[in-house]
Amino acid sequence: MEPEFLKRKMEIILREKIRDAVKALYNSHVADELIQLQETRKDFKGDFTLVVFPLLRFSKNTPEQTGETIGNYLVGNYNVIAGYNVIKGFLNLEIADSWWLEYFGKTAILKNQLGNCKVASPQTILVEYSSPNTNKPLHLGHIRNNLLGFSLYRILSICGHNVIKTNIVNDRGIHICKSMLAWQKFGNGETPETTGIKGDHLVGKYYVLFEKEYKTQIEDLVRCGIDENEARNSAPMMKEAREMLLKWEAGDTEVVELWKRMNSWVYAGFDETYKKLGVDFDKIYYESQTYKHGKKIVQEALEKNVLYSNEDSSIWADLTADGLDQKLLLRSDGTAVYMTQDLGTAVDRYNEYRFHKNIYVVGNEQNYHFHVLKALLKKMGYPWHDGLYHFSYGMVELPEGKMKSREGSVVDADDLIVEMIETAREVSLELGKLSDFTPEEKEEIFRKIGLGALKYFILKVDPKKNMTFNPVESIDFNGNTGPFIQYTYARIKSVFRKAEETGLNEKPGLLADVKAGEKEIVLIKLIRKFPERVSEAAEGYSPALVANYCYELAREYNQFYHDYSILGENDESVRNLRLALSRVTGEILNTGMWMLGIEMPERM
RNA sequence: GGUUCCGUAGCUCAGUUGGAUAGAGCAGCAGCCUUCUAAGCUGCGGGUCGAGCGUUCGAGUCGCUCCGGAAUCACCA
C-alpha cells in the first residue's frame, strides 16, 4: 500500500493547499500558472518557495504581508508544513523532517529508485549514431557522437521506450577509392596481419598517403603554370580515383573485391574501438545498399512531379516554399548524392520499424542537411517525417581550433583510450591502494577509471554546445569528474564490506522515528529528485543532466560521509538511516553512471 | 552576403517555464588522515553574465541593435 505522497508529488499537494489558502483568505480562484512554486535556494531556510508577486492581485496587499498571511494559513491547516519565513516577495515553506524521513523510509525499500520516470506511452525510437566513413579511424569527434548516442539509448530505454540502436556506415564513394588507390600503388600487399597495424589505421594510412601524393602532384602542375583549380581536377591521382569509383559503380570485379577486402579491415578495426568504448548496435545500415533505394524514391517522386528534372537530366527539389533552396538529388550522370541515400535509409527504416521517432545523432555542422531531409520527406508525402529528429551536438575543438584530418591535428580515438587508461594506472599506482589485487583485477580497475574519466568528461557538457579538449592538460581525475563519482561509489561499497565484517548491517524497517541531521535531510531531498532528473534528460535528450546530477549527489554524499560516522554511530536507528542513505546513494550513482555507459569499480 | 548557433571567474563548464546575494571544478593560497578509502573534506581570493537599449514588480534567461566567434549555404560527405 503506497502512501499518498508516493503517488502524488509533494509539489502537487502544496499547490492544492495554496489554492485552498487563496480561496479561504481572499475568496479568489487562482489560475495554476500564477502559483509559482520552486525549490528554496540553499542560502535560505526552507524547502519550497512560493513567489507571492503574482498573488498580489488577490491580496491587494504588500508582498511581505501577503506572504505572512498565506504562510500562517498553511502552517495552521497543513501539518506537514512545519514553519515558514518571508523574505521580500518570497514565502519559504519548511517541510517537517518527519515527512522527509517517512518518504525516504517508504522509497528506500523499492527495488530501484527510478519510479516515476517511466513514460505513460512507450514509443519505438531509432537512434542513429556513430556513422563513420570507412577511409580512416575514429577520432575524438566520433567518441562524442558514440557516447551521446549510446547514452541516449540507455536513458530512453530506462524510461520505458523501445529503442533501436542503428548505425549507417558510409562505405562507398570517392574517399574509400582514394585509400584503395594509394594501397594499390604503394601498399606492396600490406595487410593488418602482415603489418600488425589495426585495420582502420592501416586504411587511414593510405588515405593520408593519397592526400600527400595528390598534393605534390598539384604543386608540380601549378609550377608548370597550370591554374590551381584545374590542377586539382587533372592531377593523375584524382583522375585515377574517379576512374576507380566509376569501375566500382559498374561492378568491376577486381575493384569490388579490393573494396570488400579493405572495408573488412576497417570494420574489424571499428569493432575493436566500439568494444573498448562499450557501445554496440542493433542494426547496421550500409550506404552501398541504401543509396539504390534512395535513387528509386527520387525517380518515383519525379514521376509524380514532386521533383523536377533539368536540361542536363539532373534531378532537383524546389524547397523555396519551405524557406530553403533548390536541392540536387541525382547528378546529371545519374549517380546519387549524400541526400539521396539518406532518403533511402529513412524510408527503409520506417518500413522496417514503423518508428515514432528517428533520432539522428549527427554534428551541428549538418543542421541544414537535416532541415532539407525533413522538408523533402514532407514534400514527398511521408506523414512520418515529423518523427525525424536531428540530435545536433556541438563540435569537439582543440585549444587552437577545429580538428583537421589533413593537418594531422586529430585526436585519435584508440590513442586517447590507451592514454586515459595509462593515466589511470599512474594515478592508481601512486596512491597505492590496490596492492592486494591480482594484475588482471588491477587492469580492470584502470580500464574502468580511465574510460570513466573520458566518458564523463565528454558527457557532462551540454550536447548542444561546442566543447574544448586540451590534450596537454588532458582529463582530470579530481573534482567534477568520472573518477570522483566512481570513488564515491567505491567508498560506499567499502562501508558495506566493513558492515558485513562487523555485523552492523542495514536492518529493514528501522527507519521510523529517527532523529535525522541536516545533511541527512539534504541527501534525502536530492535522492528524491533522481527520477525527475532522468525524465528531464530523456525529454531534453541530455545525458549531461544525468551526469551533473550524479556529481551533485556524490558531492553531497562526500560531505555527509565526512561529517558523520556511519558504522561508528551507536544509536542503532540513526546508524541504520545512514546505511540506508549510503546504499540508496550507491544504487543511484550506479544506475546514473550506467546511463552514461560508465562502469563502477567496487574498489579503487 | 543569406541562414543557424554560441559569448557566464585566468581555464573547463553548470545555471529549470523570467525570481532572492549568478554556482561548481581546475589552477593559486591556507588548513584537515591513531576513527567507515585524503581520487576526499573545509576556508580564502577571483564576475559590468560580450556591449547597449527595450519589455517586466523582477532579465544570465525574453525582444531589438551592435561587437566577437563558429557552422552552413557543392553535381563533397
Side-chain angles (χ1 to χ4, degrees), chain A residues 484-503:
Chain A
F484 172 88
I485 298 166
Q486 290 172 319
Y487 175 72
T488 309
Y489 179 79
R491 264 185 155 179
I492 292 171
K493 285 291 163 184
S494 173
V495 171
F496 281 95
R497 276 193 301 272
K498 183 92 176 191
E500 195 65 42
E501 284 169 25
T502 54

Side-chain angles (χ1 to χ4, degrees), chain A residues 186-244:
Chain A
F186 318 113
N188 300 316
E190 274 191 0
T191 69
E193 290 74 30
T194 62
T195 56
I197 298 174
K198 198 163 162 278
D200 50 338
H201 288 263
L202 185 67
V203 172
K205 175 182 149 189
Y206 287 102
Y207 182 73
V208 171
L209 219 57
F210 173 94
E211 291 293 341
K212 201 179 145 201
E213 186 62 23
Y214 177 39
K215 202 177 158 194
T216 42
Q217 286 184 354
I218 294 171
E219 280 165 5
D220 288 349
L221 289 169
V222 169
R223 217 172 293 125
C224 297
I226 294 172
D227 171 75
E228 197 180 322
N229 274 333
E230 176 58 28
R232 254 177 234 289
N233 262 315
S234 58
M237 286 296 280
M238 185 53 95
K239 273 180 145 169
E240 283 183 72
R242 267 197 235 106
E243 280 162 22
M244 191 179 248

Side-chain angles (χ1 to χ4, degrees), chain A residues 358-371 374 387-393 541:
Chain A
N358 182 9
I359 300 176
Y360 293 86
V361 181
V362 178
N364 61 15
E365 57 195 352
Q366 293 191 33
N367 285 352
Y368 183 76
H369 174 79
F370 284 99
H371 271 128
K374 208 166 167 173
L388 263 63
Y389 178 80
H390 176 203
F391 178 93
S392 166
Y393 67 89
Y541 303 125

Side-chain angles (χ1 to χ4, degrees), chain A residues 529-541:
Chain A
K529 285 186 204 161
F530 180 51
E532 192 184 333
R533 286 294 188 86
V534 174
S535 296
E536 282 170 17
E539 281 158 28
Y541 303 125

